[in-house]
Amino acid sequence: MKIRLATPKDAQGISRVASALGYLPHDDDALILQRLEHLLASRHDRIWVAEQAGEVIGWLHAQHVFRVASADFIEILGLSVAQEAQRQGAGRALATQAIAWASDEPLTLRVRTHEARDVAREFYAACGFTLAKTQCVFQMTP
């Protein structure tokens, strides 16, 4: 397994892994490529992929977050590993990249996960994260 920074050529693999886990529809590769290119051009975002036998088996998107009234931090915004590759070290290897980035800055590293995702909560705890707070998320589509 190889961990590396993503390139535009990874758009289809990222889309495949994400959609298999229910994150987004796999039917708009052009949109995924557009999003990926935008994020790759940002100096505040980093996306890594886990690759095995030339195929993307996982990805992690992290972002340097700036707030007007609180300290900067790095946040993991997405982490997906293909179901057939789970529990083989890809997720931890990807998380290690974000941990290293946060350490280099040095900034706190955060990740949010749905309270119903027990496996994700256990994974992040095993990676050394501790629960900092619980919160409600409000949303509106105007």
Side-chain angles (χ1 to χ4, degrees):
M1 177 181 46
K2 178 181 177 181
I3 305 297
R4 61 175 175 75
L5 288 169
T7 70
K9 293 179 182 178
D10 296 314
Q12 235 178 359
I14 290 170
S15 176
R16 180 182 43 77
V17 171
S19 64
L21 298 175
Y23 285 108
L24 50 85
H26 182 66
D27 59 355
D28 196 345
D29 289 339
L31 177 60
I32 300 305
L33 177 59
Q34 181 182 19
R35 288 177 178 170
L36 182 59
E37 286 175 334
H38 174 80
L39 293 168
L40 293 176
S42 166
R43 62 188 179 127
H44 306 298
D45 292 87
R46 295 200 185 159
I47 301 170
W48 292 272
V49 294
E51 184 180 73
Q52 193 166 46
E55 295 290 323
V56 172
I57 59 165
W59 58 270
L60 183 144
H61 174 203
Q63 181 180 69
H64 184 155
V65 178
F66 300 89
R67 304 282 188 205
V68 71
S70 59
D72 296 3
F73 57 93
I74 304 290
E75 184 169 13
I76 295 174
L77 299 176
L79 170 58
S80 294
V81 176
Q83 194 162 7
E84 67 275 8
Q86 290 179 3
R87 301 201 180 269
Q88 297 175 29
R92 184 176 292 270
L94 288 163
T96 298
Q97 297 300 308
I99 292 166
W101 183 26
S103 179
D104 288 347
E105 289 298 320
L107 294 170
T108 298
L109 178 61
R110 292 183 183 170
V111 62
R112 302 167 202 257
T113 185
H114 194 287
E115 63 184 14
R117 292 185 173 214
D118 294 332
V119 173
R121 290 196 337 247
E122 291 167 8
F123 168 78
Y124 288 117
C127 287
F129 289 84
T130 57
L131 182 62
K133 68 178 177 178
T134 57
Q135 64 186 127
C136 298
V137 176
F138 295 87
Q139 181 170 300
M140 175 195 320
T141 305

